[in-house]
Amino acid sequence: MSTPEQAATDEVRERYARFARDEAPGRSEVYRRWATGVAADAEVAGIIAALPSQRRQPPLVFAVTRLLGAGEGDDTAEWTAFVRAHRQEIIREIDRRSLQTNEPQRCAALLPALALVDGPIALVELGAAAGLCLYPDRYAYRYRAVDGVRSVGPVGGSGVVLSADLSGPAPLALPQIVWRAGVDLSPLDPADPEDRAWLQALVWPGETGRAERIRSALDIAAADPPSLVSGDAAARLPELVERAPAGATVVVTTPGLLPFLPWRQRNALVEMIQALPVRWVTLDRPGLYEGLRGPVEEVTDGFALALDGEVLADADPLGARVRWLGEADGSMSGVGRTVKP
């Protein structure tokens, strides 16, 4: 009969084997090799098994080792040796870190929904990390459509250019944003070197262009910092809504947040948002929360981009592809250019 420690080690080995087989291929050869190494090494798997279960995720462990000095060129043996040599440092660092996918590319999916909201806009993001998705008006966009490239961007250009595949008559216009705020359990300062290094470490080796995109977006955020507050999204959201400038339409976004909340907490947050005098833009897998309306059945191979719970598009979760499901004014989903009372 195995001990609890042995059972945890076996679970880690199985988890990392699945990651090496199902998640890393085609995205990061480095992470595929390292995960294979964990699956094959009971000692290294045991080091990871000593962590709380919610902190054993391969991307989190790998990012922390890179932050502490493991190199992307390290082969499996070099990386496992690094883990053995630095086990206490790794455990301490993982205890203060969490996965924070602060991907500005998501704005390429959010932009068509924001184009349906009349400004000026006070933009609030839940699960904001460093707030890189709070600057959709500061980025430039290149949408590859069947009739050619549709470009949108600020006057003078931008250091961040987001490219995406587009089908359908999605409305494309930069929102007029006059105020930016965010909530996160552990907000990051876009100007702080340590926080910047952590966000860079979260980029998987092999994700071409992503590290450069995040670095440029951090520069934009650092030059004009948003108002970021620490705490639970449901607890802090009402006060941010109250702080928004008079005359601005408050738009709350939740890209990437809801999957991390338990079902009851998730639906309670959705109900709170819908009860507040705000518009709500989200990008989530259908079925993640109750009450999603519109052509849900047409979201066949991606996430649902929704405005106030009405489905507008089928989109890639990180904004690489948008398939618009209605007319240019959102009328198929019953969503027009009106401000929610």
Side-chain angles (χ1 to χ4, degrees):
M1 182 175 181
S2 65
T3 64
E5 292 79 9
Q6 183 60 53
T9 298
D10 291 344
E11 189 277 332
V12 166
R13 296 179 75 175
E14 293 172 4
R15 184 175 190 177
Y16 278 68
R18 288 196 306 272
F19 181 87
R21 182 186 66 241
D22 301 334
E23 299 181 49
R27 185 174 176 185
S28 177
E29 175 60 19
V30 173
Y31 279 7
R32 187 198 67 78
R33 293 198 313 266
W34 291 358
T36 300
V38 174
D41 192 317
E43 182 185 356
V44 171
I47 294 171
I48 296 172
L51 297 165
S53 59
Q54 71 273 20
R55 296 188 180 275
R56 299 172 188 165
Q57 307 101 311
L60 178 60
V61 172
F62 295 157
V64 164
T65 63
R66 290 171 60 214
L67 186 70
L68 294 176
E72 295 180 12
D74 290 357
D75 62 20
T76 300
E78 289 172 322
W79 183 80
T80 55
F82 182 91
V83 173
R84 291 189 185 92
H86 300 273
R87 66 178 69 193
Q88 294 304 323
E89 294 172 72
I90 292 170
I91 290 171
R92 285 195 298 269
E93 191 66 30
I94 285 179
D95 188 56
R96 58 189 291 263
R97 297 294 181 182
S98 60
L99 288 173
Q100 293 172 290
T101 310
N102 207 192
E103 176 50 76
Q105 177 67 35
R106 281 189 172 130
C107 289
L110 302 179
L111 186 73
L114 292 171
L116 293 173
V117 180
D118 289 328
I121 289 174
L123 191 62
V124 178
E125 182 184 3
L126 307 185
L132 302 189
C133 288
L134 286 168
Y135 296 83
D137 57 328
R138 304 287 179 85
Y139 304 148
Y141 303 83
R142 288 175 54 84
Y143 291 94
R144 297 178 294 267
V146 292
D147 56 349
V149 175
R150 299 174 62 185
S151 297
V152 182
V155 175
S158 173
V160 176
V161 180
L162 307 178
S163 298
D165 294 324
L166 175 67
S167 60
L172 301 177
L174 293 182
Q176 180 191 359
I177 299 175
V178 295
W179 188 72
R180 308 163 209 273
V183 183
D184 199 278
L185 291 174
S186 301
L188 302 176
D189 181 352
D192 180 80
E194 183 179 347
D195 286 350
R196 291 171 68 99
W198 174 237
L199 280 178
Q200 295 282 56
L202 287 169
V203 177
W204 293 21
E207 293 183 318
T208 305
R210 189 176 178 197
E212 293 78 6
R213 180 169 63 245
I214 289 177
R215 188 181 303 115
S216 296
L218 283 166
D219 290 341
I220 290 173
D224 181 18
S227 176
L228 297 177
V229 298
S230 175
D232 176 77
R236 303 303 300 268
L237 178 58
E239 68 181 82
L240 288 180
V241 173
E242 286 292 325
R243 284 170 49 190
T249 299
V250 180
V251 176
V252 175
T253 66
T254 56
L257 170 70
L258 298 182
F260 294 98
L261 301 179
W263 176 259
R264 182 175 297 180
Q265 185 180 351
R266 185 188 312 157
N267 280 286
L269 177 61
V270 170
E271 290 178 4
M272 168 185 280
I273 294 171
Q274 293 176 325
L276 290 169
V278 304
R279 307 298 300 271
W280 173 40
V281 176
T282 193
L283 182 63
D284 293 299
R285 190 176 298 282
L288 197 62
Y289 56 90
E290 296 174 344
L292 191 64
R293 305 179 303 279
V296 182
E297 69 285 349
E298 295 193 42
V299 180
T300 56
D301 59 351
F303 279 34
L305 172 68
L307 174 61
D308 300 331
E310 295 277 356
V311 173
L312 298 173
D314 178 4
D316 176 81
L318 293 181
R321 175 188 53 79
V322 180
R323 182 168 63 89
W324 193 253
L325 299 176
E327 301 300 326
D329 64 355
S331 58
M332 178 177 169
S333 301
V335 181
R337 297 183 60 84
T338 56
V339 177
K340 177 182 174 182

